Amino acid sequence: MRTSRRSQRINILRVLFAFLLVGFVLLPFQQAVAIPFFSKLPAFSLYVQGDPQLQEKLTKELNELRKNSSALESYENLRDVAHYERGNLEKLLRAEGYYDATVRESVQGSEIIYQVIPGPQYLIKSLDIEMPANLRAGFPGLPISIGDPLQADEVLEGVQTITRYLNENACLLNVDVTYQATVIHQEAAARLVYRVAPSPEVLVGEVEILGATSVEEDYLRSKLNINPGDCFSRSKLDAAQLRLLRTNLISNVTHQISEPYNGLVDVIFIVQERNHRTITLGVGYTSDEGPGVSASWEHRNIFHRGEKLEVESKVNKVKQTLESKLTIPRFFRDKQRFTASVALTGEDVDSYSSKALTLKGLVSRKLSKHRTISGGAELKFSRVDEKVDGAVEDGDPDENYHLLAFPLGFKLNTTDKPLDARRGATTALEIKPYVDLKNNSTSFVKNILQLTAYKTALSARYEPTLALRIKAGAITGAPNLELPADERFYAGGGGSVRGYGYQELGPRIVEINEDGQESLSDAIGGRGLSEISIEGRFRFSETWGGVLFLDGGNAYENPRPNFSNLFWGAGFGVRYNTSFAPIRFDLAFPLDRRDGVDDHYQVYVSLGQAF
């Protein structure tokens, strides 16, 4: 009965925390269309005669103007504010095609009332494009036509449409597109004319790159995608500059264009190389793993063609790693890279201790902007000693492994930032078949799928971000205890289920002592893994932020993940935002605390978001 009541209390806590988390995340969304209560500006009401849709649009746009207006802060009289904003409303109405609109403002107490009589919306009576006949022949058309409202956004979209077409299909030295709208008040109409300024058509002559000192010129030239004889296009020049910057070898790039000669222009790219070497030092702390330090050295141009060599070491009381990694871009093709690595690792946890040497080679290919596939080979020499009551048993030759693996991966990534994503999603799948070269009877396949998603309300108070992570894993091909202990799945810790100790969640063996009393061993790991995390992230200023989170997870002896049997942890955190990544401090509490196993809370300090 006591256990049942405790379970009920825990379930109530989970529900209450989930409601609090969702409430904190959704509250700013509900306030997004209203004037924030902390604003110094007075409240307002806006009424548009006969057009509720226009009324809603003008209200929203006036709110946006208030957020970005510094001029309004200097006004102390409500009538001055109203007069200023009446001018803004008149501009907004003209941008929508209402040239005969009337706006009246009045002040009632501490509120401003705007009354709008929009009048007729002006329509396009005639539409013309002044463009050379040879260029106009293949033009697909404008996004607006005769009879459409004269709206500023649509008119400007027409300018952009013509500009894009000329950049992609003509060789003009200069692309200059303007428009003229002539308003006819008597007819509530307008004549609209687009004009393309005269400019010679030219081809690319010589292409030079100046300023490169350590990066080989032909490597940079391969990034340009511009060759002598190509049709000249300024948009192609801009794209080439961007590709040079994305090599991470160039800090600044400009271009110069010669005067036309014989229908040609020479193009010169002037680059400035950035420092190719970086040394970083880091510290972190978690209450389950203790303090940790890291150090790394990176050379991004080791062989003068953008090859990157990284050496990194991380040390805490549980794990120690020393890894060297070489990355070769454009491996046999432009969107393909090769990564080779050597790693020494040591791990000492309650259930096992291990030492390993891992050699790995991986080829990754970018299928599109967001999709990447990878495949390769990995050879791992390891010794794994399992523990009983925290002590290593006598040496067993079967605990030495020579594992050969062939990892295959797929990743879909649409997030905006790797260490502090605010929008987008990721899907990462890895399939990793193993065979033990020392004992051919040991073979298994390790599969991991992880999904993340991020959604931010930029216009809401505190710019809340809702973040979600789901992870599932399964190992097939061998019984649980025949797998190397360091390859099994464990849950718990800062990158898993916060609130529980590192690798403290998962299957345990029931032990019976001489008195017949039962006790549980340390977590032995499993063949199945389930994890889920939800976070509400808030930005209180450019520097400071906060987080509410709820994590759930467990590992299972059976390889089938089970999301209905999870251990839950909850907590809150503080974020200090730097230009590189946020520094996080999280305090987490186990909601399914086990007496004698779990602490009352856990603390995590590190760089970057939890996921």
Side-chain angles (χ1 to χ4, degrees):
M1 188 67 178
R2 183 178 300 173
T3 303
S4 176
R5 288 178 179 175
R6 180 175 177 272
S7 298
Q8 290 176 356
R9 289 197 299 268
I10 291 173
N11 288 331
I12 292 172
L13 282 173
R14 292 175 186 164
V15 172
L16 287 175
F17 187 85
F19 271 109
L20 283 172
L21 177 58
V22 173
F24 270 103
V25 172
L26 293 183
L27 180 60
F29 285 84
Q30 297 167 356
Q31 297 175 340
V33 297
I35 296 298
F37 70 89
F38 56 88
S39 174
K40 297 179 181 179
L41 296 176
F44 73 87
S45 296
L46 190 152
Y47 302 97
V48 177
Q49 186 182 67
D51 196 335
Q53 291 185 345
L54 180 61
Q55 175 176 310
E56 181 180 356
K57 186 172 185 178
L58 290 176
T59 301
K60 183 177 179 180
E61 290 180 350
L62 192 58
N63 272 323
E64 290 299 318
L65 288 175
R66 281 190 164 201
K67 292 179 182 179
N68 302 315
S69 175
S70 58
L72 285 173
E73 298 176 0
S74 62
Y75 292 117
E76 297 181 359
N77 189 303
L78 292 186
R79 297 190 182 278
D80 292 336
V81 174
H83 181 75
Y84 179 86
E85 289 192 324
R86 185 188 71 183
N88 284 341
L89 284 171
E90 290 172 345
K91 293 176 183 177
L92 291 173
L93 286 162
R94 286 195 295 271
E96 293 298 319
Y98 296 94
Y99 285 85
D100 293 334
T102 300
V103 180
R104 295 189 179 94
E105 79 275 13
S106 61
V107 176
Q108 297 181 5
S110 60
E111 184 181 16
I112 303 174
I113 308 297
Y114 296 105
Q115 297 281 352
V116 177
I117 302 174
Q121 188 176 29
Y122 282 39
L123 305 181
I124 299 174
K125 179 179 181 180
S126 64
L127 178 61
D128 192 19
I129 304 174
E130 295 181 1
M131 182 190 305
N134 64 315
L135 298 178
R136 188 168 181 173
F139 183 61
L142 292 166
I144 56 176
S145 58
I146 295 175
D148 288 345
L150 184 67
Q151 296 174 301
D153 288 344
E154 297 298 325
V155 172
L156 293 175
E157 178 60 29
V159 173
Q160 296 172 4
T161 299
I162 298 173
T163 301
R164 285 194 299 268
Y165 168 74
L166 295 176
N167 281 327
E168 294 171 2
N169 298 277
C171 306
L172 296 179
L173 180 61
N174 296 294
V175 176
D176 183 13
V177 181
T178 58
Y179 73 92
Q180 180 178 353
T182 304
V183 176
I184 309 171
H185 290 281
Q186 297 86 346
E187 302 178 24
R191 297 187 179 93
L192 181 61
V193 179
Y194 290 98
R195 294 188 176 91
V196 178
S199 178
E201 292 196 73
V202 294
L203 302 179
V204 176
E206 297 295 326
V207 180
E208 295 185 62
I209 298 178
L210 302 179
T213 56
S214 63
V215 185
E216 293 186 5
E217 183 179 332
D218 65 328
Y219 171 72
L220 296 178
R221 190 178 290 273
S222 69
K223 299 294 182 181
L224 300 179
N225 288 345
I226 297 176
N227 299 298
D230 288 350
C231 179
F232 178 82
S233 170
R234 290 188 181 271
S235 62
K236 290 182 180 179
L237 298 184
D238 295 337
Q241 289 186 195
L242 184 58
R243 284 191 293 271
L244 290 175
L245 292 172
R246 284 177 175 171
T247 63
N248 210 23
L249 304 175
I250 304 299
S251 61
N252 186 49
V253 55
T254 59
H255 66 261
Q256 295 179 354
I257 302 169
S258 71
E259 291 295 324
Y261 65 95
N262 300 326
L264 301 173
V265 290
D266 296 333
V267 180
I268 301 175
F269 291 92
I270 303 171
V271 301
Q272 180 179 349
E273 292 188 21
R274 58 178 296 189
N275 186 0
H276 303 312
R277 298 170 181 82
T278 301
I279 296 177
T280 59
L281 299 173
V283 294
Y285 173 81
T286 64
S287 51
D288 52 355
E289 299 181 54
V293 297
S294 64
S296 65
W297 173 85
E298 178 181 281
H299 195 310
R300 291 175 293 274
N301 192 37
I302 190 70
F303 301 130
H304 310 296
R305 298 180 63 84
E307 301 89 351
K308 182 167 65 174
L309 178 64
E310 303 168 85
V311 180
E312 182 178 28
S313 178
K314 296 180 180 180
V315 178
N316 61 33
K317 70 176 184 180
V318 174
K319 294 183 292 186
Q320 306 82 40
T321 64
L322 175 62
E323 182 178 17
S324 178
K325 183 163 61 176
L326 174 67
T327 302
I328 301 176
R330 300 184 70 247
F331 186 68
F332 290 113
R333 57 186 300 168
D334 286 344
K335 297 183 179 181
Q336 189 166 276
R337 65 174 53 196
F338 173 73
T339 302
S341 64
V342 180
L344 290 170
T345 59
E347 193 170 11
D348 189 2
V349 295
D350 290 340
S351 55
Y352 68 87
S353 65
S354 68
K355 297 178 180 178
L357 168 65
T358 305
L359 310 174
K360 187 175 182 179
L362 194 70
V363 176
S364 60
R365 178 184 297 179
K366 211 169 180 68
L367 300 178
S368 66
K369 180 180 179 181
H370 303 297
R371 296 180 300 158
T372 304
I373 59 172
S374 61
E378 176 183 298
L379 184 59
K380 180 180 179 182
F381 302 95
S382 63
R383 176 175 179 83
V384 182
D385 294 314
E386 299 202 48
K387 298 179 180 180
V388 176
D389 296 329
V392 177
E393 294 182 300
D394 294 336
D396 184 348
D398 292 336
E399 293 178 344
N400 290 282
Y401 299 94
H402 300 168
L403 295 177
L404 177 63
F406 298 95
L408 300 172
F410 170 80
K411 187 169 186 179
L412 175 65
N413 187 351
T414 62
T415 58
D416 53 344
K417 297 179 182 179
L419 296 178
D420 187 17
R422 305 189 68 192
R423 63 177 182 271
T426 67
T427 300
L429 173 65
E430 183 181 53
I431 301 173
K432 207 170 184 179
Y434 284 89
V435 61
D436 189 352
L437 300 180
K438 185 180 179 183
N439 182 3
N440 291 332
S441 63
T442 301
S443 62
F444 56 95
V445 180
K446 192 172 185 179
N447 309 280
I448 299 176
L449 174 65
Q450 179 162 289
L451 311 173
T452 63
Y454 309 90
K455 180 66 175 178
T456 299
L458 294 175
S459 61
R461 187 185 178 199
Y462 300 146
E463 298 183 4
T465 298
L466 183 64
L468 175 68
R469 178 183 72 95
I470 299 175
K471 184 177 181 179
I475 301 176
T476 60
N480 196 39
L481 295 181
E482 291 185 12
L483 297 170
D486 61 342
E487 292 293 344
R488 300 173 199 156
F489 289 124
Y490 302 83
S496 177
V497 184
R498 286 164 287 185
Y500 298 88
Y502 177 68
Q503 296 190 353
E504 286 292 339
L505 299 179
R508 294 169 181 261
I509 297 175
V510 178
E511 300 174 344
I512 302 177
N513 60 20
E514 296 177 354
D515 299 328
Q517 295 179 338
E518 294 184 356
S519 63
L520 294 176
S521 69
D522 295 319
I524 61 172
R527 296 186 296 161
L529 177 71
S530 300
E531 293 179 355
I532 183 169
S533 298
I534 183 171
E535 284 194 348
R537 302 173 182 172
F538 308 90
R539 294 175 70 92
F540 304 130
S541 68
E542 290 297 320
T543 304
W544 292 99
V547 169
L548 293 173
F549 59 84
L550 179 68
D551 293 345
N554 203 358
Y556 314 91
E557 185 176 352
N558 190 297
R560 180 180 298 175
N562 182 1
F563 282 93
S564 62
N565 184 23
L566 305 180
F567 286 82
W568 293 93
F572 59 90
V574 176
R575 300 291 183 267
Y576 179 79
N577 300 308
T578 70
S579 59
F580 175 65
I583 298 173
R584 72 180 178 113
F585 174 91
D586 288 341
L587 183 62
F589 306 89
L591 300 183
D592 298 297
R593 183 173 174 268
R594 298 160 295 180
D595 292 336
V597 177
D598 301 317
D599 294 329
H600 290 277
Y601 63 89
Q602 298 284 352
V603 178
Y604 309 95
V605 182
S606 65
L607 184 67
Q609 297 285 8
F611 61 90

